[in-house]
Structures are given as structure tokens and as C-alpha cells.
Amino acid sequence: MLEKKDRIVTGDRPTGRLHIGHYFGSLQNRVKLQNEYETFILVADVQALTDNFNNPEKVQKNVKEIVMDNLAVGVDPNKATIYLQSMIPEVAELTVFYSNLVTVSRLQRNPTVKTEIAQKKELFGESVTYGFLGYPVSQAADITALNGTIVPVGEDQLPLIEQCREIVRKFNSIYGQTLLEPKAILSNAKRIKGLDGNEKMGKSLGNAIYLSDTDEEITKKVMSAVTDPGRIKKDDPGNPNICMVSYYHKLFTKSNEELEEIMKECRAGTRGCVACKKQLIKNIINELEPIREKRRYYEERPELVKEILMEGTKHARKIAKENMLRIKEAMKLNY
Ligand code: TRP
């Protein structure tokens, strides 16, 4: 039996650079948790291929972007282990073992998978691939290969963790107490809306500010953000509750006094939207500059980034290998 010592496993699919939605939604939390728990951060390239199998270049290119984004926000390679999924063959092996413990209809009923399949009609047509339908099984393998017990994720991932727990229980009931049942913890912040007011900030929606955006990109994006549509002339009174610029001020404008003044002047119609946007641009740049600076450090040192990922992978692999021996023994596959 394993002794239970909490270990975090979490990760991202390398399908694009990370944006401020990730920053407030999961990255800040990750940076905090690395001081409290043994932390493993997975770059889920195999999972990324489940809906990008026809675009391997995209996945490959984004592996290093994701590693750099994590390092830039303060994930510390001396505290947390960043590792690459495709270099842990035990995960693929476990996925096969676990696939006996889950039914096709249970996967089809997984709310996250169901929503994603509906969104990916263009890729999948009328019939989804075996790999995509089964990615919750491989995610269960990600977590259990390392004996992860705490999985910090966004709300959309909860059904995947629930499915992992079911697989673990089923495994233990058949092969004996071997695996630990992980629990999800929600990253504290809520989902961040897009610049266009969309409920979700997403790369495919074109409404995101990336951690690696330049001053020019940030300026252009904020300048086109959606404001109160009722405010036509500069001195019309505005309603900050329906303005994306004020929404972002609440995230980035750290001084309460400054924030109150912005809201007051907007309501009174004494501050124009352009001035308000310029102030927001300044505050976003202030917040992101240390992150960008750190990112530039790593961008100039691609060998170091690679080394961090390879060292992390070596460490994760060692744990997965040891764990695999126990799992195979439980399954009577110990030859
Ligand atoms: N599915 C997660 C996402 O899209 C990424 C992921 C893969 C993951 N494996 C994981 C998250 C294991 C937590 C634990 O964000």
C-alpha cells in the first residue's frame, strides 16, 4: 500500500501560448501551490494531438511556448517538475490497461467530452475518433502514473477528474488496493471574459491578451475592446457594468482609489473611453512586464528551456516506472 502524501499533478495542452485567462485562472494558483506541495506540471502533447492529430507542427511548436509561459509567471524548476507527456511511455501503457475499466457510453456521457465533440464537428464530422473519446482515460493515466492526489483545474475539467476517480475505484476493486484516488481543487479565480465580452477568453476566439504580447499588441487589443454601447459621445454618462474596459480595470488596476475614480468618472461622463483605455493599457503593461522580462530571458536561452523540460521528464519518468511495477504486479503482469 502506498503511503498517502499529497502530490499535485496538473497541466496544459500545448495548442497555443498562455493568456491572461490562464494567468488569473490557474497559473497564479500554481505558483502559490508549488511552495506547499510537491508539484508536477505536465505538458500534455499527446492529449493535444487528440484534436490536432493533423497538425503536429502546431503541437511541437507550442511545447516550448507552454514551458516558457510557466517559467515566466514564476513556476520554479527547483520546486516544481515540468515534464513532457509523450516521453512517459508508462502513461500510454496505463491508458490501455484502464480502457478496460470504462465503457464507451460512460465516455460519451462525460459532459466535457460531450461539449467538446459538439464544438469540433468540423474536425470529427459525424463520428468522433477513438482517441478523442478516450482522452479522459489517458488523463486518468497522467494523474495516476505519478500518484497524483491533488489536481488543480478549471471547472470545465471536473468531469474528467470524476471519471479518473471512477477508474481508480474500479481498478482497486478488481486488482486490489493499488491506486490513489485524486481530488480536484478548483483554481480560485473565475473564468475571465474575452475582450469582446465573450464569456470565454480563448485563442480560437481571437479575444485574448497573451502573456507574451508586445506593447503594440496589447494597445491594439485594448483599443478595440467592447465598451458600453449606449455611450456614443465622449461626455455621455457610461455604465461600467457593461464595459469590458472597466471589467479589465478591476483585474489590473491595483489601487482602489484609482479604480473608484475610473468608475465614478465613467458614470458621470467626465472620462472618455479612449483615456480610460490608455490607462488600462498602462496598467496591463505594468503587471505583465516582469513576466515578459522573465520570458525574454528564457526565449534567449532555448537550451536552458529544453534542459528544464528534459530534467523534469527524467524525474517524472522515474516515478512512473517505479509505480508501473506495482501496477503490473497487481494486474498479474509481472514477468
Ligand atoms: N485536459 C487538461 C486541459 O485541457 C490538460 C491535462 C492533461 C491535465 N492531463 C492532465 C490537467 C492531468 C490535469 C491533470 O487543460
Side-chain angles (χ1 to χ4, degrees):
M1 259 272 287
L2 263 185
E3 195 190 321
K4 181 160 172 164
K5 192 169 138 268
D6 279 319
R7 177 182 284 161
I8 286 181
V9 176
T10 189
D12 309 286
R13 293 183 189 182
T15 53
R17 290 172 296 147
L18 300 180
H19 52 62
I20 59 170
H22 298 113
Y23 178 59
F24 290 109
S26 58
L27 298 174
Q28 282 185 332
N29 199 32
R30 201 174 275 181
V31 170
K32 193 173 113 240
L33 290 169
Q34 69 180 348
N35 298 313
E36 295 159 36
Y37 298 99
E38 192 186 3
T39 297
F40 287 83
I41 298 170
L42 162 75
V43 183
D45 57 344
V46 177
Q47 186 177 117
L49 284 171
T50 60
D51 59 347
N52 291 281
F53 53 83
N54 50 1
N55 202 349
E57 294 80 16
K58 170 174 151 190
V59 175
Q60 183 181 47
K61 176 172 132 288
N62 282 302
V63 166
K64 53 180 185 302
E65 301 292 340
I66 294 283
V67 177
M68 289 194 292
D69 282 331
N70 272 282
L71 294 169
V73 297
V75 169
D76 178 349
N78 294 314
K79 293 179 185 160
T81 302
I82 307 178
Y83 70 104
L84 189 60
Q85 188 186 24
S86 61
M87 290 180 76
I88 314 287
E90 287 74 17
V91 166
E93 213 174 346
L94 277 182
T95 304
V96 175
F97 298 162
Y98 294 168
S99 65
N100 294 324
L101 308 178
V102 55
T103 64
V104 173
S105 69
R106 173 64 181 88
L107 288 166
Q108 286 166 331
R109 272 186 281 116
N110 183 309
T112 306
V113 176
K114 214 166 147 179
T115 313
E116 287 176 328
I117 292 175
Q119 287 165 348
K120 293 174 203 294
K121 275 268 173 317
E122 206 183 312
L123 179 66
F124 292 130
E126 286 314 303
S127 183
V128 69
T129 60
Y130 169 59
F132 190 83
L133 184 66
Y135 93 74
V137 184
S138 105
Q139 186 153 326
D142 291 335
I143 298 165
T144 53
L146 297 184
N147 293 314
T149 51
I150 300 182
V151 190
V153 282
E155 214 163 359
D156 62 313
Q157 295 286 306
L158 290 180
L160 293 165
I161 311 308
E162 194 45 47
Q163 185 132 36
C164 173
R165 291 163 58 88
E166 281 177 35
I167 291 171
V168 167
R169 289 197 292 266
K170 186 104 191 214
F171 186 104
N172 288 341
S173 76
I174 298 172
Y175 304 115
Q177 192 66 33
T178 313
L179 305 175
L180 297 174
E181 215 176 303
K183 59 174 188 293
I185 53 170
L186 280 181
S187 318
N188 50 355
K190 55 178 177 1
R191 174 175 274 177
I192 305 298
K193 291 184 194 172
L195 287 162
D196 53 356
N198 194 308
E199 280 306 314
K200 191 175 172 192
M201 176 173 282
K203 38 190 173 277
S204 53
L205 301 165
N207 61 2
I209 295 176
Y210 292 92
L211 297 173
S212 49
D213 273 351
T214 59
D215 289 2
E216 293 70 35
E217 284 163 327
I218 293 171
T219 304
K220 202 167 136 223
K221 287 175 183 176
V222 173
M223 280 302 176
S224 67
V226 175
T227 53
D228 173 3
R231 199 171 171 194
I232 297 162
K233 292 198 301 305
K234 186 164 152 254
D235 42 13
D236 285 345
N239 177 1
N241 297 333
I242 52 170
C243 169
M244 290 320 293
V245 178
S246 99
Y247 174 87
Y248 281 106
H249 265 300
K250 287 182 197 137
L251 294 169
F252 285 100
T253 302
K254 294 279 139 65
S255 140
N256 275 337
E257 259 166 60
E258 188 182 339
L259 196 59
E260 270 167 34
E261 191 182 282
I262 291 166
M263 303 299 158
K264 206 173 85 201
E265 291 185 11
C266 172
R267 287 203 172 86
T270 52
R271 179 191 301 251
C273 292
V274 172
C276 190
K277 284 176 171 175
K278 285 199 168 137
Q279 193 174 356
L280 175 62
I281 290 163
K282 190 176 104 253
N283 293 348
I284 293 180
I285 290 174
N286 263 343
E287 170 95 10
L288 296 189
E289 187 43 29
I291 296 174
R292 295 190 305 184
E293 194 183 318
K294 207 155 184 192
R295 203 179 194 283
R296 283 193 292 271
Y297 174 88
Y298 287 106
E299 281 165 5
E300 286 161 12
R301 292 165 179 80
E303 287 308 315
L304 175 60
V305 175
K306 185 157 181 204
E307 190 187 316
I308 289 170
L309 185 63
M310 290 304 123
E311 282 303 309
T313 303
K314 215 156 97 189
H315 178 45
R317 174 97 204 264
K318 185 164 172 282
I319 294 172
K321 258 183 163 166
E322 287 165 8
N323 210 12
M324 201 62 189
L325 292 177
R326 296 173 40 252
I327 293 173
K328 281 193 159 172
E329 192 177 292
M331 293 182 74
K332 316 266 179 257
L333 296 170
N334 51 330
Y335 296 102

